[in-house]
Amino acid sequence: MYFIDVILPIPLKQTFTYSVNEHEARFLKQGMRVAVPFGKSKVYTAIVYRVHTQPPASYETKSIDQILDEEPILNEQQLKHWEWMASYYMCTLGEVIRAALPSAFLLESETVIKLASEMNVEENGFSDEEFLVYEALQHQSSLHINDVRSILDMKNVVKVIQQLLQKGAIEVEETVFEKYTPKVVRYIRLAPEFTSEENLQQLLETLTRAPKQKEVLMTLFMLSAQQKKPVSSVQLQKRSNASAAVLKALIDKGILEEYFVQKDRVEYTGPEGAATKALSEAQHKALTEIKSSFEEHDVTLLHGVTSSGKTEIYVELISEIIKSGKQVLYMLPEIALTTQLIGRLQHYFGERISVFHSKYTLNERVEVWYNVLQKKPKAQIIIGARSSLFLPFSNLGLIIVDEAHEPSFKQYSPAPRYHARDSAVVLGQLHNAKTLLGSATPSLESTHNAQTDKYGLVKLTERYGNILMPEIELVDIREKHRKKRMTGHFSDRLFEEIEEVLKEGEQVILFQNRRGYSPFVECTTCGVSPQCPNCDVSLTYHQFKNELRCHYCGYHIAMLISCMACGSETLDAKGFGTEQIESEVKQLFPEHSVARMDQDTTRGKHAYAKLIEKIENQEIDIIVGTQMLAKGLDFRNIRLVGVMNADNLLNFPDFRVHERSFQLLQQVSGRAGRTEKRGKVLIQTFNPNHQILQQVSVNDYDGMFKDEAEQRYQYKYPPYYRTIKITLRDRNYNKMHKAAVWLGALLQTRLKENVLGPEAPPVGRIRNLFITNLLVKIPKQQSVPKTKKFIGKAVQSFHSVKDFSTVKLTIDVDNY
Ligand code: ADP
Ligand code: ZN
Ligand code: ZN
């Protein structure tokens, strides 16, 4: 008897055992996929974990439906990394696998298939089964796996579907992602029987009465001779000025042949191999220090001020690693924000770069996956957001985590709730690779790790080209209000500075950390403000659409004319977001072009890139935006950055608020003055004496670190204590509360005063679910694995309480 243990992509702890025959047992290897039956009628794609001969004690095994791969699609190092992740972040391996594998790899009974939006396949290449499914899809827009089973009157259909997917005939329905349009290029060549001189002569003679067709043929010869690569139909048509019909006639006659080649969608065609820039003395020194730091530390923190030229240092490191044949992973917080960087790197490394991101279409992701798996040169350098960690690297030499302080490296939901920076460090260790964390404003955790010699530390304190750090001025708007020196939300200082900069033809960034027009509306008669019916938050007013919107659940209604509570027409928009600043600035500077950069204006796949291009080309004078502006953008002509109101950053109820405010303000400031002229930053605030603002204004990272570290130590927060947040959600408030108190008490039996809560988060209800949190703090000397084990057991008991069965529970390790 032979068995395999498989991992299913579901949140159940254990692996599952299925029986296989001897032949299958010989063939199967860890990391191959099999289709397996599950429950009454479900089918899952599972990953083979182990092949063995011990039957499980407690249940009858079912046999597998089908083997789906010829070769493993993942490797041992990946599995090790994922096991670490599941154990560290307290979730199941199945959940990690679901996050890790492109969903096209995980066909299951829930999967819905449909015809590909653009068909480029030959029907006659289909097997009988494939054809039947294909035909059925001509009549029905989509099919479930079970439908396919009845159409084919057979049980094992996953492989058929997989083949249709591979041929590009169908696609998997995926609501969250943009649809995939297969990019297939149609090429034209001469039919083989005419390639001999003699036949060709004859052919040309027969075509004398069809001059257009002859023209096409001659153009084809010419192009083939000129370029040493195939001739595409588009190119041929263009050059010969022929219609599609002429081309078709030639193909129908059997003189020409068409053939299709699938192009990789993420492809770079520009120049490459540009010489890298000569490093400045400071950069060179930093590079040398990084290399020697790597001799002692696997992880090194590069703390380099904004515009110090960290990227050029990365480029040098990458060059060396790829020369040795190893792979490089370059991680960024958000890929949408990286068009600039990708361009810069492609300049040096050309086609060796692949970009990987969950926003990419399924097939793009599958392609990159296979390229990495097969160690293709074009995937030697991977640029990606956090999910690129999961790729099948086998030979990593270097991981760069750029903008390592960014909170978006942490995945909030669903599980695994992992931090990509920390997971990268572990991945690096598994590969014996070096990991470099780069930031102008490192997180407290990273600096703490450097100070305690867990990480190496290299500092770069000057900007490239000896450009000065921008001059930062705090503007007291309480006083400006009192003296009537405000126009809307603009102080006279900010107004003057903007005017000055615009006069010189340079650009301005205005930062406001809220989108929409006003965060809430209030009735001046009765004081009531419209709330979201599903969440405990006020609705934000969006002027452009004249709507009230909930930023948590997307609920929206037309702007009210009168108050819902008292009926008075005295609704007043309170507070301000980017939309309002944009409209004020347009009135103040009507001669200048203004653009807004926030979630509302950058929705489409290319919207963001277009906006960046416009800014780079100086088609825009003033950019109003949210923290999107703070993420590593490199613009040449920004002279002035205005922070409209620093206070709402500082008033956020979270233990990281000071660190985050410092980082954000330093990062936006860092966008100013990246060329010869010194940049300027104006920060408007009601509290110019706030410690953090004072520290921001003189670039005092060390001062910030010292103060914050003391606070964290005193109040038992990271980096001194670890935290695990347990969140409970339910439609019924009382039930949720009771459940939280019960679990809290159970945890306290052992963890004592280090269990805090239950406490409602700032928004205590989202999408009709009430929310409460328990926070567990783990002191340095207490074993983290043991604590997690205990929490795991407590949660297990919790799940066995019937009363709490509807309560949703999530665990967030190292919560952010
Ligand atoms: P950081 O990532 O540290 O904020 P960048 O790497 O974006 O800084 O560099 C800032 C600017 O300086 C970029 O426009 C970059 O092209 C330029 N730069 C950096 N190093 C060099 C160099 N050695 N030679 C020429 N230009 C450089
Ligand atoms: Zn009212
Ligand atoms: Zn809502």
Side-chain angles (χ1 to χ4, degrees):
M1 290 283 273
Y2 294 89
F3 299 94
I4 55 170
D5 292 344
V6 301
I7 312 158
L8 293 178
I10 52 177
L12 287 175
K13 275 266 180 272
Q14 72 274 38
T15 54
F16 293 83
T17 308
Y18 286 84
S19 43
V20 290
N21 62 35
E22 188 184 341
H23 184 72
E24 289 168 330
R26 292 235 163 84
F27 182 78
L28 284 170
K29 295 194 197 96
Q30 184 183 69
M32 286 184 180
R33 289 171 301 163
V34 286
V36 297
F38 191 76
K40 272 212 186 80
S41 62
K42 283 196 169 147
V43 167
Y44 277 116
T45 296
I47 304 291
V48 176
Y49 189 70
R50 196 164 73 93
V51 185
H52 59 91
T53 53
Q54 302 106 41
S58 54
Y59 58 96
E60 274 291 301
T61 51
K62 291 183 187 172
S63 47
I64 63 168
D65 284 348
Q66 262 177 319
I67 295 175
L68 299 175
D69 291 312
E70 303 286 317
E71 297 286 337
I73 57 154
L74 45 91
N75 62 42
E76 205 185 326
Q77 274 146 317
Q78 277 175 296
L79 271 177
K80 274 199 190 133
H81 189 228
W82 300 350
E83 283 175 316
W84 168 81
M85 210 179 236
S87 127
Y88 187 87
Y89 290 106
M90 301 183 74
C91 64
T92 70
L93 194 49
E95 284 170 313
V96 180
I97 286 201
R98 191 172 277 291
L101 293 179
S103 51
F105 278 157
L106 294 174
L107 298 177
E108 59 188 34
S109 31
E110 310 301 313
T111 307
V112 175
I113 56 166
K114 35 182 262 176
L115 281 187
S117 41
E118 208 176 284
M119 266 287 297
N120 284 301
V121 272
E122 292 283 327
E123 290 174 22
N124 51 27
F126 288 152
S127 70
D128 292 351
E129 283 92 13
E130 288 164 17
F131 187 76
L132 283 173
V133 177
Y134 174 72
E135 200 186 40
L137 280 171
Q138 312 274 353
H139 305 292
Q140 295 174 53
S141 59
S142 66
L143 292 173
H144 259 100
I145 287 212
N146 282 342
D147 304 330
V148 177
R149 281 180 165 167
S150 50
I151 290 165
L152 298 182
D153 194 24
M154 60 190 241
K155 190 167 136 249
N156 300 340
V157 298
V158 177
K159 192 133 198 175
V160 176
I161 295 173
Q162 194 180 325
Q163 270 152 5
L164 281 168
L165 262 178
Q166 264 164 14
K167 289 181 181 170
I170 61 167
E171 43 190 54
V172 172
E173 179 119 30
E174 243 197 334
T175 41
V176 267
F177 302 112
E178 287 176 58
K179 285 286 164 292
Y180 159 59
T181 354
K183 190 172 169 210
V184 176
V185 180
R186 180 174 174 236
Y187 290 103
I188 304 293
R189 65 185 165 214
L190 190 65
E193 58 262 42
F194 296 109
T195 41
S196 77
E197 194 72 23
E198 201 177 319
N199 294 353
L200 190 58
Q201 278 306 327
Q202 267 180 6
L203 173 63
L204 288 174
E205 271 159 39
T206 58
L207 281 182
T208 39
R209 268 174 296 148
K212 279 198 178 145
Q213 294 184 10
K214 194 170 171 187
E215 175 72 32
V216 170
L217 217 54
M218 297 312 283
T219 312
L220 178 64
F221 296 153
M222 187 194 72
L223 284 172
S224 314
Q226 266 175 14
Q227 63 189 39
K228 293 205 164 53
K229 58 180 192 187
V231 179
S232 75
S233 62
V234 176
Q235 193 188 14
L236 183 58
Q237 260 178 262
K238 246 195 207 143
R239 290 292 288 269
S240 61
N241 247 325
S243 66
V246 176
L247 202 56
K248 184 165 182 296
L250 282 163
I251 293 166
D252 290 347
K253 281 191 194 166
I255 298 170
L256 294 185
E257 278 183 355
E258 58 180 351
Y259 63 106
F260 298 89
V261 175
Q262 183 141 339
K263 280 284 206 189
D264 280 354
R265 276 155 287 275
V266 190
E267 194 185 32
Y268 176 68
T269 47
E272 66 172 291
T276 54
K277 294 185 171 125
L279 296 186
S280 70
E281 209 173 296
Q283 283 172 317
H284 189 77
K285 183 161 164 278
L287 178 65
T288 315
E289 284 176 18
I290 292 169
K291 285 191 207 159
S292 67
S293 166
F294 276 154
E295 279 165 22
E296 283 156 40
H297 299 276
D298 289 336
V299 187
T300 291
L301 171 63
L302 172 61
H303 182 172
V305 297
T306 53
S307 205
S308 54
K310 294 185 285 296
T311 319
E312 304 304 325
I313 297 177
Y314 303 151
V315 166
E316 292 297 326
L317 289 166
I318 295 172
S319 302
E320 282 182 28
I321 296 292
I322 62 170
K323 267 185 217 135
S324 73
K326 295 200 165 191
Q327 298 163 315
V328 175
L329 171 60
Y330 189 139
M331 290 213 299
L332 286 145
E334 273 167 58
I335 214 76
L337 305 171
T338 58
T339 33
Q340 280 190 322
L341 179 94
I342 293 168
R344 266 167 89 177
L345 293 186
Q346 279 177 333
H347 208 62
Y348 301 130
F349 302 115
E351 286 180 353
R352 285 170 190 255
I353 296 180
S354 287
V355 182
F356 186 78
H357 184 254
S358 61
K359 278 232 178 76
Y360 275 23
T361 59
L362 280 177
N363 286 47
E364 284 168 344
R365 277 176 284 156
V366 169
E367 257 164 34
V368 176
W369 186 283
Y370 279 120
N371 288 343
V372 175
L373 185 70
Q374 292 152 8
K375 292 180 225 161
K376 296 249 177 86
K378 62 160 53 160
Q380 204 179 355
I381 306 167
I382 296 290
I383 307 183
R386 56 176 188 247
S387 58
S388 56
L389 271 179
F390 295 115
L391 285 166
F393 298 105
S394 46
N395 193 16
L396 265 179
L398 174 69
I399 304 177
I400 292 167
V401 185
D402 198 7
E403 310 292 342
H405 61 277
E406 267 291 326
S408 41
F409 277 122
K410 166 83 183 180
Q411 169 151 318
Y412 294 88
S413 189
R417 297 180 171 78
Y418 64 103
H419 200 301
R421 173 198 63 209
D422 301 340
S423 306
V425 166
V426 174
L427 181 67
Q429 278 156 358
L430 275 171
H431 283 265
N432 276 323
K434 302 298 176 191
T435 304
L436 184 66
L437 311 180
S439 174
T441 51
S443 69
L444 253 71
E445 282 86 345
S446 297
T447 295
H448 178 77
N449 282 331
Q451 287 191 346
T452 51
D453 206 37
K454 201 171 150 197
Y455 297 171
L457 175 65
V458 174
K459 285 197 184 184
L460 191 53
T461 50
E462 63 185 59
R463 287 185 141 188
Y464 175 74
N466 284 319
I467 292 157
L468 290 171
M469 293 297 280
E471 181 193 343
I472 301 180
E473 176 182 328
L474 301 175
V475 180
D476 183 348
I477 45 176
R478 187 185 307 276
E479 186 175 302
K480 295 289 181 193
H481 272 292
R482 201 164 45 81
K483 294 189 175 156
K484 305 243 176 319
R485 298 232 174 105
M486 295 291 288
T487 316
H489 296 94
F490 290 77
S491 61
D492 54 354
R493 280 293 298 126
L494 183 54
F495 184 85
E496 289 157 18
E497 289 289 341
I498 297 176
E499 216 175 18
E500 170 88 27
V501 167
L502 293 178
K503 212 184 288 163
E504 310 218 341
E506 289 172 307
Q507 294 165 298
V508 178
I509 280 182
L510 297 174
F511 170 73
Q512 168 63 3
N513 208 25
R514 286 205 164 122
R515 63 195 169 94
Y517 191 84
S518 302
F520 65 105
V521 244
E522 194 178 77
C523 171
T524 52
T525 308
C526 74
V528 165
S529 54
Q531 301 284 308
C532 174
N534 314 317
C535 314
D536 283 349
V537 285
S538 305
L539 295 171
T540 298
Y541 174 47
H542 286 244
Q543 190 187 45
F544 178 68
K545 289 190 168 167
N546 199 32
E547 276 181 348
L548 291 171
R549 293 195 79 93
C550 171
H551 285 183
Y552 286 83
C553 73
Y555 171 87
H556 52 100
I557 48 170
M559 175 61 184
L560 303 169
I561 295 166
S562 54
C563 171
M564 285 213 251
C566 73
S568 319
E569 291 183 14
T570 51
L571 288 173
D572 192 14
K574 295 278 182 173
F576 63 101
T578 44
E579 206 187 9
Q580 190 167 155
I581 297 303
E582 183 192 16
S583 92
E584 282 185 14
V585 93
K586 278 180 174 161
Q587 278 173 14
L588 290 174
F589 302 97
E591 312 280 274
H592 291 275
S593 56
V594 181
R596 178 155 56 92
M597 185 188 285
D598 58 27
Q599 259 187 63
D600 299 320
T601 60
T602 52
R603 275 191 212 286
K605 194 175 182 180
H606 302 294
Y608 187 80
K610 277 190 202 146
L611 194 51
I612 292 202
E613 207 178 291
K614 278 191 172 171
I615 299 170
E616 278 176 341
N617 297 339
Q618 301 202 56
E619 288 165 46
I620 290 162
D621 302 320
I622 306 170
I623 307 114
V624 180
T626 56
Q627 74 268 24
M628 265 188 185
L629 289 168
K631 299 186 185 181
L633 295 170
D634 182 34
F635 296 125
R636 313 309 304 155
N637 285 291
I638 309 284
R639 259 287 290 298
L640 176 69
V641 168
V643 175
M644 299 308 298
N645 177 334
D647 305 312
N648 56 30
L649 288 178
L650 291 163
N651 293 333
F652 193 75
D654 180 271
F655 76 88
R656 289 185 208 272
V657 61
H658 286 166
E659 178 189 352
R660 285 295 300 137
S661 304
F662 182 89
Q663 288 166 336
L664 256 174
L665 292 171
Q666 283 269 298
Q667 292 286 348
V668 255
S669 303
R671 302 313 115 205
R674 292 187 151 233
T675 30
E676 308 84 57
K677 274 190 230 162
R678 188 171 187 194
K680 174 126 198 172
V681 179
L682 290 186
I683 300 180
Q684 301 194 131
T685 171
F686 284 97
N687 294 296
N689 292 321
H690 195 293
Q691 185 73 352
I692 285 292
L693 298 183
Q694 292 289 334
Q695 285 159 344
V696 167
S697 70
V698 292
N699 300 312
D700 186 11
Y701 177 89
D702 293 341
M704 183 283 294
F705 179 85
K706 191 169 157 289
D707 288 353
E708 268 306 287
E710 251 166 47
Q711 296 275 314
R712 299 280 182 89
Y713 185 76
Q714 193 176 346
Y715 295 104
K716 306 186 173 176
Y717 278 108
Y720 304 98
Y721 279 62
R722 290 177 182 260
T723 58
I724 297 178
K725 185 169 80 177
I726 303 171
T727 301
L728 296 105
R729 297 181 172 82
D730 198 90
R731 287 185 170 269
N732 179 324
Y733 178 85
N734 289 331
K735 193 195 278 181
M736 171 209 73
H737 187 70
K738 204 171 133 200
V741 170
W742 188 93
L743 181 61
L746 178 56
L747 292 171
Q748 267 159 1
T749 57
R750 229 171 98 182
L751 306 173
K752 310 284 188 245
E753 76 280 2
N754 286 327
V755 183
L756 274 64
E759 190 176 281
V763 178
R765 186 180 53 123
I766 295 176
R767 295 174 193 271
N768 280 317
L769 293 177
F770 290 96
I771 308 166
T772 196
N773 291 321
L774 292 163
L775 188 68
V776 175
K777 293 182 175 179
I778 309 176
K780 269 261 149 81
Q781 65 279 12
Q782 185 175 317
S783 153
V784 177
K786 275 188 193 152
T787 312
K788 284 179 183 165
K789 211 168 168 190
F790 171 69
I791 295 174
K793 282 211 176 114
V795 167
Q796 225 172 11
S797 328
F798 176 88
H799 282 312
S800 64
V801 180
K802 241 193 166 161
D803 275 359
F804 305 150
S805 62
T806 59
V807 180
K808 294 186 173 64
L809 181 147
T810 53
I811 304 178
D812 188 353
V813 176
D814 300 339
N815 65 298
Y816 255 64

